[in-house]
C-alpha cells in the first residue's frame, strides 16, 4: 500500500480542486437552470465532476508511471475515463443526442472490457462471448443508471464513495493491495466534491462526473471479477440501492409506453425527496441503508462464496435485494395512487 501521507494529500487536494472548480464554474456562469423535471429550485453550477475526474486520472497516470498499476489496466481506465468525461463535458455544455451518447458509451465499454480480457478468453468458446456480452450490457447500464440517479444533493456522490470504500475493503480482504488502492484513491478524490455537493448543494457533478464515475466503478468492478477478488453476486448486493430503483423505474416506464430515455422525476428517491421536502433526509437514509444493511450482507455474500457455499450466497443476495425492491414498489405505488 502507499504511504498514509499520500492518502491525506489526495484528500486535501480534492478539497482544493473542488473549491477551485466551484469558483471557476460560478465565474463562467455554467449553471443548471431548474425546469419541470428538476429536483432543485435555484440555478446551481454544474460540471463539477471534472474536479474529481481530473484528479483521479492524474493519480492513475502517476501510479502507472511509478509501476504501482499495470500499464495495460491503467491505460484502459485512463483512456476510457478521459473519453467518457469528455463526452459528459460536451453534453453538459452543448448537449448530445441520446443515440450518440449511447453509441460512444458502448464503444468505450466494448473496447475496455476486450482489453481487460484479451489473452484470457477462448475465442471459440461461446460461453466466453456470452460472459463478455453480459459484462458490456451491465457496464453500459451502470453508466446510464448512475447518470439517472444523480438527481438530488449528495445522493450519487455518497453512493460512489460508499461503493469505493467497500470495494477497497473487499480487495484488502483478498490481499489485493493494488485494486484496493484504486478504489480508495477514487473515494478520496471525491472528498472535496462531496462537501460542496452536500445539501444544499453548491455544485452538481453534471454528466462529466456521472459518466466518469459510472465508467470507472464499472471497470474496477470488471477488474475485480476478472481477478476473482469480488464476485458478481457481491456487486449486485453492494450496488442494490441504485440498480433496483433505476431498473424498476425503467421497466415501469417502458410497460406504460413512456419515452424511457427522456429525463424525468419518477425514480423512487426523487419521489421520496419531494414527499419529505428534503434532499438531505433521502441521502442520509440511503447512507444508513448502505451501511446498516448492504455492507454486512456484501461481506457475508463474499465470505460464503469463498467457502464454496453458492446456494447460501444466492439466498443472501435475494435477502439483500428483497426489502429494497419492496421499498421502491411502495414508494412508487403510493405516488401513483396519490
Amino acid at each position: 500500500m502507499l504511504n498514509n501521507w499520500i492518502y491525506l494529500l489526495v484528500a486535501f487536494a480534492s478539497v482544493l480542486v473542488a473549491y477551485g472548480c466551484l469558483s471557476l464554474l460560478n465565474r463562467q456562469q455554467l449553471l443548471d437552470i431548474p425546469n419541470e423535471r428538476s429536483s432543485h429550485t435555484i440555478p446551481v453550477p454544474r460540471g463539477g465532476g471534472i474536479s474529481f475526474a481530473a484528479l483521479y486520472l492524474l493519480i492513475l497516470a502517476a501510479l502507472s508511471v511509478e509501476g504501482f498499476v499495470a500499464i495495460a489496466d491503467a491505460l484502459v481506465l485512463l483512456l476510457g475515463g478521459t473519453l467518457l468525461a469528455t463526452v459528459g463535458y460536451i453534453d453538459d455544455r452543448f448537449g448530445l443526442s441520446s443515440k450518440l451518447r449511447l453509441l460512444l458509451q458502448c464503444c468505450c465499454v466494448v473496447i475496455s472490457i476486450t482489453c481487460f480480457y484479451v489473452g484470457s478468453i477462448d475465442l471459440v468458446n461461446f460461453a466466453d462471448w456470452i460472459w463478455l456480452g453480459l459484462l458490456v450490457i451491465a457496464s453500459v447500464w451502470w453508466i446510464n443508471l448512475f447518470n439517472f440517479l444523480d438527481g438530488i444533493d449528495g445522493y450519487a456522490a455518497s453512493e460512489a464513495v460508499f461503493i469505493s470504500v467497500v470495494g477497497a475493503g473487499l480487495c484488502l480482504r483478498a490481499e489485493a493491495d493494488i485494486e484496493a488502492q484504486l478504489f480508495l484513491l477514487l473515494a478520496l478524490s471525491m472528498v472535496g466534491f462531496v462537501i460542496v455537493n452536500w445539501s444544499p448543494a453548491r455544485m452538481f457533478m453534471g454528466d462529466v462526473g456521472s459518466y466518469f464515475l459510472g465508467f470507472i466503478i464499472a471497470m474496477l468492478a470488471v477488474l475485480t471479477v476478472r481477478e476473482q477478488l469480488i464476485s458478481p453476486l457481491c456487486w449486485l448486493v453492494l450496488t442494490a440501492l441504485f440498480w433496483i430503483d433505476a431498473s424498476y423505474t425503467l421497466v415501469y416506464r417502458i410497460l406504460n409506453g413512456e419515452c424511457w430515455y427522456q429525463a424525468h422525476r419518477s425514480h423512487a428517491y426523487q419521489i421520496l425527496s419531494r414527499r419529505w421536502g428534503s434532499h438531505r433526509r433521502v441521502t442520509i437514509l440511503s447512507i444508513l441503508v448502505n451501511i446498516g444493511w448492504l455492507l454486512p450482507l456484501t461481506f457475508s455474500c463474499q465470505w460464503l462464496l469463498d467457502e464454496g457455499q453458492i446456494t447460501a450466497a444466492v439466498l443472501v443476495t435475494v435477502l439483500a435485494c428483497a426489502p429494497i425492491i419492496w421499498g421502491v414498489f411502495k414508494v412508487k405505488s403510493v405516488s401513483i395512487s396519490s
Side-chain angles (χ1 to χ4, degrees):
M1 295 293 285
L2 297 172
N3 188 295
N4 289 338
W5 287 105
I6 298 295
Y7 298 115
L8 292 175
L9 180 61
V10 171
F12 180 69
S14 76
V15 174
L16 292 181
V17 173
Y19 276 94
C21 185
L22 174 60
S23 176
L24 179 63
L25 292 175
N26 273 317
R27 286 201 303 272
Q28 294 187 348
Q29 290 292 294
L30 299 179
L31 304 176
D32 192 317
I33 307 300
N35 56 43
E36 67 277 3
R37 297 185 302 271
S38 301
S39 295
H40 62 291
T41 56
I42 60 173
V44 176
R46 70 173 175 180
I50 198 170
S51 60
F52 55 76
L55 180 58
Y56 189 68
L57 290 171
L58 181 62
I59 293 168
L60 268 178
L63 289 176
S64 61
V65 168
E66 293 297 323
F68 285 101
V69 182
I71 294 293
D73 292 341
L75 281 176
V76 170
L77 297 173
L78 279 167
L79 296 178
T82 300
L83 173 61
L84 285 189
T86 302
V87 170
Y89 178 78
I90 295 172
D91 200 17
D92 283 330
R93 290 296 304 270
F94 311 107
L96 290 173
S97 72
S98 57
K99 292 180 180 179
L100 179 57
R101 290 198 307 265
L102 185 60
L103 176 62
L104 292 171
Q105 291 166 3
C106 288
C107 290
C108 185
V109 168
V110 167
I111 293 171
S112 299
I113 291 179
T114 301
C115 290
F116 273 150
Y117 276 89
V118 66
S120 61
I121 60 171
D122 185 351
L123 295 179
V124 298
N125 188 336
F126 184 68
D128 282 356
W129 285 103
I130 293 294
W131 173 241
L132 291 180
L134 289 174
L135 287 178
V136 168
I137 293 171
S139 298
V140 172
W141 175 228
W142 176 255
I143 292 170
N144 283 280
L145 75 82
F146 206 92
N147 178 252
F148 296 157
L149 274 74
D150 175 34
I152 62 173
D153 302 348
Y155 190 62
S158 61
E159 179 76 7
V161 170
F162 169 74
I163 291 171
S164 300
V165 171
V166 176
L170 288 166
C171 289
L172 286 175
R173 179 182 176 277
E175 299 181 350
D177 289 353
I178 293 174
E179 289 78 5
Q181 287 171 174
L182 292 175
F183 277 114
L184 186 55
L185 289 168
L186 179 60
L188 293 172
S189 298
M190 294 193 63
V191 168
F193 179 80
V194 170
I195 294 173
V196 296
N197 185 240
W198 190 256
S199 182
R202 287 167 284 172
M203 181 168 68
F204 296 154
M205 69 172 69
D207 291 340
V208 59
S210 61
Y211 289 175
F212 174 81
L213 281 178
F215 173 79
I216 292 296
I217 292 173
M219 291 306 102
L220 289 178
V222 170
L223 192 59
T224 61
V225 170
R226 186 195 70 182
E227 299 299 320
Q228 299 183 349
L229 304 173
I230 306 175
S231 76
L233 279 181
C234 242
W235 281 110
L236 282 177
V237 176
L238 180 57
T239 61
L241 202 59
F242 261 36
W243 71 259
I244 289 173
D245 189 0
S247 301
Y248 186 103
T249 302
L250 175 69
V251 172
Y252 180 86
R253 285 172 62 81
I254 290 174
L255 292 177
N256 280 273
E258 300 177 38
C259 188
W260 61 269
Y261 53 84
Q262 278 189 344
H264 58 90
R265 296 199 304 165
S266 59
H267 287 106
Y269 79 95
Q270 292 169 316
I271 296 170
L272 205 56
S273 70
R274 292 196 298 275
R275 186 178 302 164
W276 288 354
S278 171
H279 290 198
R280 184 177 302 179
R281 289 177 63 187
V282 176
T283 300
I284 290 174
L285 174 63
S286 73
I287 293 171
L288 292 176
V289 170
N290 278 330
I291 295 176
W293 182 249
L294 296 179
L295 172 60
L297 290 177
T298 298
F299 276 89
S300 298
C301 181
Q302 189 61 54
W303 178 81
L304 288 168
L305 289 169
D306 291 341
E307 295 297 316
Q309 302 294 322
I310 298 176
T311 301
V314 171
L315 290 175
V316 166
T317 303
V318 173
L319 173 66
C321 296
I324 297 176
I325 294 173
W326 178 85
V328 170
F329 171 77
K330 289 295 290 184
V331 168
K332 292 178 73 66
S333 61
V334 170
S335 174
I336 293 169
S337 63
S338 61

